Amino acid sequence: MSSSTTTAGRDTAVGQRSGIAGRLQWRAMAIYVFVLGEMIVFSVLSANFLTAANLGNIALNAADLALIAAGMTLVIILGGIDVAVGSVLGLLALISGTATLAGVNPWLIVVLAVVLGTAIGALHGLIVTKGMVSPIIATIGLLAVWRAVHFSLWGGSDLFAPPISLLLVERFAGIPGVAFLVLVVYGGLAYVMRFRSFGRNVYAIGNDAEAARLAGIRVTRTTIGAFALLGGLVGVAALVFMSRTGVIQAYSGQGLELAVIAAVVVGGTSITGGRGAILGTLGGVVFVAVLQNGVVLLGVPPLWNGLLLGAFILLAVSIDAIVNRRAARRERAL
Amino acid sequence: MGSTLLEATGLCKAFGPTQALAEVGLHLHAGEVVAVLGENGAGKSTLIKILSGVYIADAGAMRLLDEPYEPATPADAVQAGVAAVFQEPTFFPQLSVLENVFAGRQPRSRFGNVQWTAMLREGRELFTELGLSPALLDRRMEQLSLGHQQLVLIARALHLEARVLILDEPTSILTENDATKLFALVEQFTGGGGGVLYITHRFGELAQVADRIVVLKDGRKVGEGAASELSEQQVIHLMSGRHIEQAEAMAQGKRGAADAAPLLTVQGLTVEGAFSDVNLTVSRGEIVGLYGLIGAGRTEIALSLFGQLHPSAGTVTLDGRPYAPRSSRAAMAAGVAYVPEDRKTQGLYPLMDTGANLSTAVLDRVSQGGFVHRSKERTLVRRFVESLGIKTRDPGESILNLSGGSQQKVLLARWLATEPKLLILDEPTRGIDVGTKTEIHRLIFGLAEQGFGVLVISSELPELLVLSDHVHVVRDGRMVADFRRGDATSHAVLEATMGYTGADV
């Protein structure tokens, strides 16, 4: 990555410590401790939890969540949010499913879903930047709009579609194929956030958009780019969703945004932007997915699922707020 | 003197009715430091914001290195080689110092990858060259002191390979040690052929830093000369001497301060990190002014009297009783009202109507069993609209339709309705046109006449001199001088404000 090969070891160590990825690693990585604790609890409480089959299930079921949460991390670090991802996923899954049943070439469907998703994401970004609507308000509106489009296209009965590719759902040594895709996406994005100026600019904008503008960073373009990237990942997630469930309903994808935001926030990304890490989100996704799975294994009514998820969002956001307030107070005391 | 770097002619800028800058010309040579001086509101900030592309001038022309220079955005200015560090700096608090220095232009490889090792090496070289500790690079920006943040931003500007560096009161928040570092940076920069435009309020450093001095007053350039030739006396004379005639006439009619026992007595009041050992008294019927540069601690004194900052030492009595409010509610209950300095963010409810804005602090007085008594509220609102001359067709009108002056009166009414004994007014006429200013002055005189104690904070010295029976000067969190009406001349107050000791340059 670096053209410099003469750097002494000490320099490299400092180099890695400086900057977000190094310095804030502990904050993002704290989630893995919680994941470990959670897994120990569920292993003790249920004999079925720590089995290859169940862990494979978790990986498969969490794949679409993971893909969207990766993109959402960028958007949230940038100081935005997109709560319409569930609706967009439903719509794109419906379109892809319909195309599959019509016998369209699977490669073409992949391109279609990704391009459509990217375009929709870019549109969200455009509304947020050029339309100057706050991201949460704009995407609440879009959530309703895309769901309505979904309804109007939905034929009135559930759509049963075959997987876009068996590679996604088949298991290799117990690991579903889609898990590899997820890991590639996370690795790629972690790299982008640290080594591409796009990634550095996303952090800068989330810290202070005005300061970023003064520093000559293209704020509008970067913002639209982050939303578009999220949209593209929603497109991929829609294909995964369709392939693993095999059915698209009127309410497919509904409520997904809650789990996505929960994963991002418990993964250490500040909901107000400026700070966070992609690899923390991966931990957050695992945490949420294991929670959802464990609760089912224990035979707890699904009602409690939402309660636990909600409680963890509140906990994560409160911890974030408290940490920030402490930091602000310290700053003021200087 | 080197070749001309930057030249500006006939710069004008107006904000609404206020002419912030009128026909100001300026030139800066290579290797030169030009200090720009002026009272608060003289137009210094407007000038440097035009030069650095934050504002666009209404009229006038600029040339940089003999090319036309018309920056439309700060990025344009930076591109052209003009870098500014503002008094309220903008940076990325949660990113490392290294990233703050390089934000927006990190060194990149052929494939567009950010080269962290190269960036770190460059940052180290830069910091070593500038005499800053390279260990700073590794820290998060928000962990640095204000002074160090400022130095980092200057380092950033220097790394931009700027030809012109604009520093807006850089030393006002620096310790002596940091200031020495800053002067070394400036010297290094001008030694390399750069030019520096230096805004300051401190006379002590003029001789040390500046080659030439430009004095602004009321948006106009009123004097210019070599730093070695202008004495402090002359500069202060050029800066001062504004008049507010109408209010002066009103002041003539005002009786001297009431001789009654003091309403508010403050002794040795200290808030850690903001101000220390503040003493002052306000009697019924007296108007007491607090003057100082922005950031000197004026507003913090007011906030501590309103229960928003908690003192670590000192005693306050109000009406003979100990007074130590822990919240704004407690302060209000004790009879203190505070009209904040920023109308828009600290005062108005922009989405509510005029009446609701006015009655908000006393809703419980016009309510029964938790329900607002509409007719009582209307009576209250009508009373104040009439007595203060608030220009509104109807209390149901949106507060945003009112002029700045009327908005200010609504806020004043909001607090008068709480029937306070002591009124604290922070910048009561900021952003208000001249005519309404006079009306507000008349109102303040009227309130004192009725027996309120009034504490006024203002950045406008002429206004404060006319209003106040007693002016206190705050500098760096300490009370450094006080003047009775009559003794207070703008000259004397400015000298105290800037720490002029009487010794000539």
Side-chain angles (χ1 to χ4, degrees), chain A residues 1-4 6-7 10-12 14-15 17-20 23-24 191 194-197 200-201 203-205 207-208 210-217 270 273-275 324 327 330-334, chain B residues 54 73-75 78 86 89-96 98-99 103-106 108-109 111-118 120-121 124 137-140 142-146 149 156 272-273 308-309:
Chain A
M1 267 149 254
S2 165
S3 62
S4 156
T6 55
T7 319
R10 197 177 60 90
D11 283 25
T12 316
V14 177
R17 257 194 299 126
S18 71
I20 283 287
R23 176 161 293 284
L24 300 178
Y191 161 79
R194 176 144 174 82
F195 288 106
R196 303 301 294 189
S197 51
R200 303 322 301 165
N201 291 347
Y203 280 109
I205 293 169
N207 267 264
D208 189 330
E210 180 61 15
R213 200 177 63 81
L214 293 177
I217 291 168
S270 164
R275 127 159 58 200
N324 284 343
R330 220 178 18 229
E331 195 178 355
R332 208 166 153 188
L334 281 175
Chain B
V54 177
T73 65
V78 168
F86 295 105
T90 47
F91 53 81
F92 311 107
Q94 299 180 3
L95 299 187
S96 70
L98 182 68
E99 287 206 68
R105 54 204 168 78
Q106 299 93 342
R108 268 174 270 169
S109 73
F111 309 105
N113 285 329
V114 173
Q115 294 180 295
W116 286 92
T117 29
L120 184 66
R121 195 176 53 235
R124 282 212 177 126
L137 290 168
D138 194 28
R139 307 195 41 198
R140 251 189 298 133
E142 64 188 358
Q143 296 173 326
L144 265 53
S145 69
L146 286 172
Q149 288 171 350
R156 173 181 164 82
E272 221 68 63
Q308 296 297 295
L309 289 175

Side-chain angles (χ1 to χ4, degrees), chain B residues 271-307:
Chain B
V271 167
E272 221 68 63
F275 59 85
S276 54
D277 200 20
V278 163
N279 300 297
L280 63 89
T281 61
V282 182
S283 302
R284 286 178 195 285
E286 189 183 28
I287 304 175
V288 174
L290 273 184
Y291 185 76
L293 301 172
I294 292 158
R298 307 169 312 184
T299 295
E300 287 76 8
I301 294 173
L303 288 177
S304 73
L305 292 176
F306 197 58

Side-chain angles (χ1 to χ4, degrees), chain B residues 33 127-132 151 154-155 158 165 167 170-171 174 176-192 196 198 205 208-209:
Chain B
V33 179
F127 272 41
T128 314
E129 203 180 307
L130 300 178
L132 299 170
L151 290 174
I154 292 170
L158 293 179
L165 180 62
L167 301 175
T171 54
L174 292 190
E176 203 153 315
N177 193 10
D178 288 342
T180 312
K181 274 190 191 146
L182 176 102
F183 297 147
L185 290 188
V186 166
E187 203 163 303
Q188 199 176 344
F189 182 67
T190 51
V196 177
Y198 195 96
E205 53 191 49
Q208 202 174 346
V209 183

Side-chain angles (χ1 to χ4, degrees), chain A residues 21-60:
Chain A
R23 176 161 293 284
L24 300 178
Q25 214 70 338
W26 66 268
R27 188 185 160 114
M29 296 313 137
I31 182 64
Y32 288 100
V33 177
F34 285 93
V35 168
L36 198 67
E38 186 190 32
M39 292 181 89
I40 291 171
V41 169
F42 284 131
S43 320
V44 171
L45 293 180
S46 165
N48 296 327
F49 177 77
L50 208 60
T51 59
N54 187 52
L55 294 182
N57 282 341
I58 294 176
L60 182 62

Side-chain angles (χ1 to χ4, degrees), chain B residues 64-77:
Chain B
L64 185 71
L65 294 168
D66 252 349
E67 303 272 331
Y69 169 60
E70 291 161 345
T73 65
D76 287 354

